[in-house]
Amino acid sequence: MKLNDLKQSGQLKGKAVRWLILIVVIALFAVFTVKINQVEIVELVNRDGQTFEKATVVEILQDNIQADGTRVGEQRVVVRMDTGEHKGEELTVTSSAGYLFGAGCTVGMHVIVMQSVAGETVVASVYSQDREWVIYIFAALYIAALCIVGGKQGVKGSLGLIFTFFCVIFVYVPLVYRGISPFWTAVFVCMITTIVTMYLIGGATKKTVASIAGTMIGVLIAGISAQLFSLASGITGYNVSDIETLMTLWNTNGIQVGGLLFSGLLISTLGAVMDVAMSISSSMQEILKQNPSLTRRELWKAGIQVGRDMMGTDSNTLILAFAGNSVSMLILDYAYALPYQQIINSNNIGIAIMQGLAGSFGIVLAVPFTVLAAALLYKWNWKKKRIEEAA
């Protein structure tokens, strides 16, 4: 009984120490996040008096719908303001038929109104349909589906997803805005999100350590591959389509806009590499549980076989993702019958190919490193090692 009591007491102390360390780390990270977000945003556009407010369409004064169902020109509609200093009032506003701004208003539609107020004068127009709650509801449905289907692991996965989103918005963005290298900022964000997500899913286990090691190596390989492709092809982060706008940020804030392309690649690669690393580590752990007598070499062979099976589908993941983002560009190139040499040497095509191939390099080469880390950790007998060292 005394031995059991001592054992239980040691376990409780160990848990208390782990929780204390976890709380301290969370507190330090929270302080760090608050600190880096205390930054003064340089005003690029004068928005004095301009606000975006919620409103509801109550009447259509002049419609712009044509006989064939298309819209040309502007609508004139009456909206009831739901927020802002004119809340409760009815205003007559316009809504353009553009694809980027405006909305095809109908009575009862919730819209966002862009209004500029100067004294008693109010100039307002419909900016877009109010889709805020649609976004929230679909996100909530996804989280609910993840939790219901995944059970406890689904809940942990959703927490990891929320933490990753939080880090991108409240860590990556402010650090880059402060002029810190986007590439190394992305490496830092990938590292902390990987550690937290893997810890939530796998706990403080060898499987988690192997998954973290494989993920980080895979992400770094993707970044290095992109850098090598950039050096060989002459494509840089300054060849992106919105570089003119980004250069304004470089002039005003010193933001290293040239590194945004490569940092974005790291972040977009992270999820796929994380999936590969955790799947391989988990599979190897189950294989070893079923046959504990496996040697390290045999476990390596089993892990490599699992990884090879995964490569068949995962190698397409990022290539298809980036190709999907380039569909509009490909259709335009086809429609204009552009020459092959013009297409293959264009910056946009080069960037899409670089992103797809570099990310896939990270996925493929993450496999052997994850298998190696798992084989070493799973077959490492710490007690035996300490006895041998003592002898």
Side-chain angles (χ1 to χ4, degrees), residues 58-323:
V58 296
E59 185 181 355
I60 307 295
L61 298 178
Q62 178 183 330
D63 211 343
N64 61 348
I65 193 167
Q66 307 300 302
D68 60 358
T70 60
R71 293 184 179 275
V72 178
E74 294 181 336
Q75 285 179 303
R76 290 182 66 247
V77 301
V78 178
V79 298
R80 183 183 66 251
M81 302 302 297
D82 298 326
T83 61
E85 58 182 279
H86 291 280
K87 181 180 179 180
E89 299 180 18
E90 293 188 354
L91 300 178
T92 300
V93 303
T94 60
S95 179
S96 69
Y99 293 106
L100 297 179
F101 305 103
C105 296
T106 57
V107 175
M109 176 184 285
H110 297 285
V111 295
I112 299 298
V113 171
M114 180 175 65
Q115 65 176 17
S116 299
V117 180
E120 297 297 324
T121 304
V122 179
V123 178
S125 62
V126 173
Y127 173 73
S128 70
Q129 181 179 344
D130 183 4
R131 54 183 68 97
E132 179 183 7
W133 280 102
V134 174
I135 294 172
Y136 293 156
I137 289 170
F138 269 78
L141 288 174
Y142 170 71
I143 296 296
L146 184 61
C147 294
I148 292 171
V149 176
K152 186 177 179 181
Q153 291 299 93
V155 174
K156 293 178 178 179
S158 65
L159 290 175
L161 178 63
I162 293 170
F163 179 78
T164 300
F165 177 79
F166 173 89
C167 285
V168 171
I169 301 300
F170 296 105
V171 178
Y172 172 80
V173 172
L175 285 177
V176 171
Y177 188 82
R178 287 173 173 268
I180 297 173
S181 167
F183 182 86
W184 291 112
T185 300
V187 170
F188 171 69
V189 169
C190 289
M191 181 179 67
I192 58 176
T193 54
T194 298
I195 291 173
V196 171
T197 301
M198 294 300 189
Y199 178 80
L200 286 171
I201 295 173
T205 61
K206 293 179 181 180
K207 177 177 71 175
T208 299
V209 176
S211 301
I212 291 172
T215 299
M216 290 311 304
I217 292 173
V219 169
L220 287 174
I221 287 173
I224 293 170
S225 300
Q227 295 281 4
L228 293 175
F229 187 97
S230 173
L231 292 172
S233 65
I235 290 177
T236 70
Y238 293 97
N239 297 127
V240 294
S241 57
D242 53 353
I243 187 60
E244 297 295 336
T245 306
L246 290 172
M247 288 305 292
T248 303
L249 301 179
W250 178 75
N251 290 324
T252 57
N253 297 83
I255 294 176
Q256 301 179 36
V257 297
L260 294 177
L261 175 64
F262 302 103
S263 67
L265 171 66
L266 295 186
I267 294 173
S268 61
T269 303
L270 177 62
V273 178
M274 195 184 295
D275 174 56
V276 170
M278 177 54 81
S279 297
I280 291 174
S281 299
S282 183
S283 298
M284 291 179 67
Q285 186 183 60
E286 290 303 315
I287 290 171
L288 190 60
K289 280 183 180 179
Q290 296 300 319
N291 190 358
S293 63
L294 287 175
T295 65
R296 185 172 290 163
R297 181 181 293 273
E298 291 170 334
L299 184 60
W300 160 270
K301 290 181 178 179
I304 284 293
Q305 187 57 53
V306 171
R308 284 172 177 167
D309 291 340
M310 295 182 65
M311 285 182 196
T313 53
D314 288 332
S315 60
N316 293 327
T317 301
L318 290 178
I319 290 179
L320 292 176
F322 288 116

Side-chain angles (χ1 to χ4, degrees), residues 235 239-242 261 319-340 342-356:
I235 290 177
N239 297 127
V240 294
S241 57
D242 53 353
L261 175 64
I319 290 179
L320 292 176
F322 288 116
N325 290 333
S326 305
V327 164
S328 300
M329 177 181 60
L330 292 174
I331 294 297
L332 285 173
D333 291 344
Y334 182 83
Y336 282 100
L338 298 182
Y340 172 76
Q342 180 180 356
I343 294 174
I344 196 65
N345 290 292
S346 68
N347 289 330
N348 290 335
I349 290 294
I351 288 173
I353 292 173
M354 179 195 72
Q355 291 174 322

